[in-house]
């Protein structure tokens, strides 16, 4: 266990933390987290000799809300962050290039984002609106948005998305999530089982038991092999 951050004497500790390793020779850790004043902060380790932790503000004008922050580091060591601001009820994206954080890009309303980067270093995000599972990705000059799952007409809502990109299929999204019936599901491009309310994406139920499930996490190999972990809120397993 390593002590990382104890605030500035007024706003101590942190929550909603997300960890990624950079692509330097030491693969050093970076942590994005919510300070207790609601601001988004970045803590990272440098090892010019003895290793030390440093921290900085990413966005001090927000009150980050939800349960998670999306964070990834690409192969060029550019940091990508997405988070929901409870003050403006808006999802924002920022990146850090050459030691400088960009201004916030307003992506509209969105919560519980899961972020990854494509093979060319472009950000992609799975997130929730009030009723649907959405996917947003940058082509380098503009953001594109797609509905992945929407059963709001039946009063059913998606939850807990986790996003990976299938590099073997031109960085197509693969998303684990909990569907409106509480089932662990997987959404991806193509196939034979169209997702409700979506075009061009298919949904596959991976666990159809009726107990309530939360917090999915998806991992993929380079060959496209998928593994998922999730929590059953009834059994606690």
């Amino acid at each position: 266990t390593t002590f990382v951050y104890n605030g500035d004497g007024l706003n101590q500790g942190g929550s909603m933390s997300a960890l990624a390793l950079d692509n330097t020779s030491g693969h050093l850790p970076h942590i994005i987290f919510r300070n207790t004043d609601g601001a988004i902060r970045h803590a990272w380790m440098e090892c010019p000799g003895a290793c030390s932790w440093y921290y900085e503000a990413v966005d001090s004008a927000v009150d980050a809300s939800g349960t998670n922050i999306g964070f990834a580091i690409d192969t060029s060591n550019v940091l990508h962050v997405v988070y929901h601001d409870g003050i403006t009820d808006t999802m924002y994206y920022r990146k850090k290039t050459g030691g400088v954080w960009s201004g916030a890009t307003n992506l509209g309303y969105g919560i519980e984002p899961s972020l990854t980067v494509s093979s060319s270093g472009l950000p992609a995000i799975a997130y929730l609106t009030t009723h649907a599972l959405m996917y947003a990705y940058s082509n380098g000059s503009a953001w594109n948005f797609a509905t992945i799952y929407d059963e709001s007409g039946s009063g059913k809502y998606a939850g807990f998305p986790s996003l990976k990109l299938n590099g073997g299929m031109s960085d197509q999204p693969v998303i684990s999530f909990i569907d409106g019936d509480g089932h662990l599901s997987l959404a991806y491009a193509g196939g034979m089982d169209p997702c409700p309310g979506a075009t061009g994406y298919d949904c596959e139920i991976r666990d159809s038991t009726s107990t309530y499930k939360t917090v999915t996490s998806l991992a993929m190999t380079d060959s496209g092999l998928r593994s998922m972990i999730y929590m059953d809120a009834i059994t606690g397993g």
Side-chain angles (χ1 to χ4, degrees):
T1 301
T2 301
F3 183 79
V4 176
Y5 174 79
N6 194 33
D8 54 13
L10 297 175
N11 301 297
Q12 298 184 2
S15 60
M16 297 167 59
S17 58
L19 169 70
L21 303 181
D22 64 27
N23 291 287
T24 63
S25 59
H27 297 294
L28 298 174
H30 294 251
I31 303 170
I32 299 292
F33 63 96
R34 179 190 187 274
N35 205 31
T36 51
D37 62 355
I40 300 293
R41 291 183 178 268
H42 168 221
W44 73 99
M45 180 181 284
E46 292 184 3
C47 299
C51 294
S52 298
W53 282 94
Y54 300 85
Y55 70 91
E56 64 183 353
V58 177
D59 192 336
S60 298
V62 298
D63 185 4
S65 61
T67 59
N68 61 289
I69 296 169
F71 176 44
I73 303 176
D74 66 30
T75 56
S76 298
N77 287 315
V78 175
L79 279 62
H80 304 261
V81 179
V82 64
Y83 50 91
H84 177 262
D85 174 24
I87 298 174
T88 61
D89 210 17
T90 300
M91 187 170 67
Y92 291 112
Y93 163 80
R94 289 177 182 263
K95 67 179 180 179
K96 184 179 183 181
T97 308
V100 178
W101 285 100
S102 69
T105 298
N106 186 329
L107 298 177
Y109 178 78
I111 58 174
E112 314 307 336
S114 175
L115 180 148
T116 189
V117 290
S118 69
S119 56
S120 55
L122 296 173
I125 306 164
Y127 64 98
L128 305 174
T129 63
T130 53
H131 55 270
L133 171 63
M134 303 292 294
Y135 174 61
Y137 65 95
S138 171
N139 62 14
S141 58
W143 283 85
N144 300 273
F145 300 86
T147 300
I148 301 297
Y149 170 96
D150 185 356
E151 280 197 289
S152 58
S154 300
K156 300 177 180 180
Y157 307 108
F160 308 101
S162 179
L163 169 68
K164 292 292 181 290
L165 298 179
N166 189 341
M169 295 181 62
S170 301
D171 285 328
Q172 290 294 325
V174 180
I175 306 169
S176 64
F177 68 104
I178 305 301
D179 71 16
D181 293 310
H183 300 152
L184 175 69
S185 294
L186 195 67
Y188 50 89
M192 301 297 292
D193 299 301
C195 295
T199 300
Y201 294 94
D202 283 17
C203 286
E204 178 182 312
I205 295 174
R206 288 302 183 93
D207 187 339
S208 60
T209 56
S210 58
T211 52
Y212 181 66
K213 301 172 184 65
T214 65
V215 191
T216 73
S217 182
L218 172 67
M220 289 181 60
T221 66
D222 292 339
S223 62
L225 182 64
R226 304 157 186 169
S227 298
M228 290 178 283
I229 188 170
Y230 58 100
M231 178 178 177
D232 188 313
I234 303 299
T235 65

